[in-house]
Amino acid sequence: MSNLTKTPAAGPNGSTASPASPIATRGPRLSGVTWLIWRQHRAAYWTLLAATALSVAWIVYQRAGLMEHLTAHGWPDSASGKWLEGMGPHTAMFVKVGFGLGFIPILLGVFLGAPLLAGDLENGTAKLVTSQSVSPVRWLAAKLGVSALVVVVCTVALSLQFGRWWGPVKNETTVLGWETGAAFDNTGPVPVALALFTVVGGVAIGMVLRRALIAMVVTFTFAVAVQVVWAYFRLDLGNIVTVTTNKGINVPSPRLPHGAMQIDQSYVTGAGETLGWSTCAHEASEKARDACVQKADIVGWSVDYLPISQMSGMQWFGASILFALTAAVAVFIFMWGRKRLV
């Protein structure tokens, strides 16, 4: 009798022993629509994961070089003026890498978000899938869920490593100011929030336009606009601190905390009003300038600044706004998809 038809041997207690099922011995595996989504977009997903792994490894290498330089110059025990010597190449690298990472939300929105649904709607795959036992909502949830998970994993890894690289010198504005996009937008929750918003926005644009190429062009415009608006309002996320003096203008202006970003500097009058620092600059002589200062009742300086201690709070506040906008766009996608997907 063939082994394929042979009755399984009885066990010691008379029970029939069955060979272990291959499925039972496997680890967790994707299945159903989740497996289908991963397989359909596996080239894009694996490309993102591989690019992230290479970028993280390169940043780790750069951090090792930075730490070697800092420790050789007495960091952290010596004064910052000593270990900041020769930081030019590292400063330039921070700026270049930060500038490059700033394009990631745009690239993800254009090349992952925009064609995610638009491609399926354009070539008819969406109609084929939803004509089976898979509901449009379940298909949309799998599409968005798997893609969002990949985006979060990649951006979190990059954010953590860039923050770890920049951490030893984050208080030194001469290296990389914390308020700049290169630092603020590439650390903490901000890169995750920006990437998710542009990707989900691109998905919504593709779903409405139903043409992949057109959706990618429109998504590029959308993603660039998001970056411009974000950069314009970034500093408005913090609470400006004002410090004043009343000992005249011939003494230095107030000294700010280490790492603080100065927003504005002006004169302050005896009545507490502020005047632009160029108020008496037009006077030709020092005597005329002193007379102008007396006439305007200028008694000291007023300086507005943002301390670096507010950075984390500003990042989470801004990221929460972006997460809320992302959730709103996702709700729109599901509402549109339930009735008008195919």
Side-chain angles (χ1 to χ4, degrees):
M1 183 181 293
S2 170
N3 289 334
L4 296 177
T5 59
K6 188 180 296 182
T7 303
N13 57 357
S15 61
T16 301
S18 60
S21 172
I23 296 179
T25 59
R26 291 175 183 170
R29 296 176 64 88
L30 298 177
S31 61
V33 68
T34 305
W35 173 85
L36 178 64
I37 298 304
W38 178 270
R39 183 169 180 81
Q40 181 185 11
H41 301 287
R42 64 187 183 280
Y45 295 152
W46 281 119
T47 299
L48 287 177
L49 292 171
T52 300
L54 291 174
S55 299
V56 166
W58 188 82
I59 291 175
V60 170
Y61 171 77
Q62 291 297 322
R63 185 183 187 277
L66 173 67
M67 296 306 298
E68 182 179 354
H69 168 86
L70 293 178
T71 52
H73 288 76
W75 178 89
D77 299 323
S78 63
S80 60
K82 182 178 180 181
W83 51 262
L84 284 176
E85 295 177 0
M87 278 291 294
H90 296 283
T91 299
M93 190 60 66
F94 275 122
V95 174
K96 291 179 181 178
V97 175
F99 180 76
L101 291 177
F103 283 97
I104 289 179
I106 299 176
L107 295 175
L108 290 176
V110 172
F111 293 103
L112 178 62
L116 193 70
L117 292 181
D120 291 344
L121 293 170
E122 186 174 7
N123 59 32
T125 304
K127 184 177 294 187
L128 175 64
V129 172
T130 54
S131 65
Q132 308 300 316
S133 59
V134 179
S135 67
V137 172
R138 184 183 174 192
W139 183 64
L140 286 173
K143 280 268 188 178
L144 288 178
V146 175
S147 300
L149 179 61
V150 174
V151 169
V152 169
V153 169
C154 293
T155 50
V156 166
L158 290 172
S159 172
L160 290 175
Q161 290 305 318
F162 186 85
R164 185 169 175 266
W165 176 27
W166 177 57
V169 294
K170 68 180 299 182
N171 290 318
E172 306 300 328
T173 56
T174 56
V175 178
L176 184 65
W178 65 268
E179 78 287 349
T180 62
F184 192 94
D185 296 350
N186 293 318
T187 56
V190 175
V192 182
L194 282 171
L196 281 178
F197 183 50
T198 53
V199 168
V200 176
V203 173
I205 292 171
M207 184 177 64
V208 172
L209 297 180
R210 307 173 72 93
R211 294 292 184 270
L213 183 58
I214 298 176
M216 292 171 73
V217 174
V218 175
T219 300
F220 174 79
T221 304
F222 164 75
V224 171
V226 169
Q227 293 283 347
V228 171
V229 173
W230 173 261
Y232 183 79
F233 289 104
R234 183 191 299 123
L235 297 183
D236 293 337
L237 298 170
N239 298 313
I240 294 178
V241 179
T242 302
V243 59
T244 61
T245 63
N246 58 3
K247 298 181 180 180
I249 61 174
N250 294 321
V251 297
S253 58
R255 187 173 182 179
L256 303 182
H258 192 58
M261 177 200 177
Q262 180 174 309
I263 302 295
D264 191 20
Q265 179 175 322
S266 56
Y267 294 134
V268 62
T269 67
E273 299 177 352
T274 56
L275 302 173
W277 61 268
S278 61
T279 298
C280 297
H282 62 280
E283 301 296 341
S285 63
E286 185 176 348
K287 184 177 180 181
R289 178 174 173 271
D290 292 340
C292 175
V293 169
Q294 261 189 339
K295 183 178 179 180
D297 191 26
I298 296 174
V299 298
W301 296 101
S302 175
V303 179
D304 297 335
Y305 71 94
L306 284 172
I308 192 173
S309 59
Q310 291 193 21
M311 179 181 178
S312 179
M314 291 169 63
Q315 286 181 315
W316 280 104
F317 179 44
S320 65
I321 295 174
L322 292 172
F323 286 139
L325 292 173
T326 302
V329 176
V331 169
F332 165 77
I333 291 174
F334 283 105
M335 293 179 63
W336 180 286
R338 288 182 64 182
K339 298 180 179 179
R340 304 180 62 179
L341 184 60
V342 295

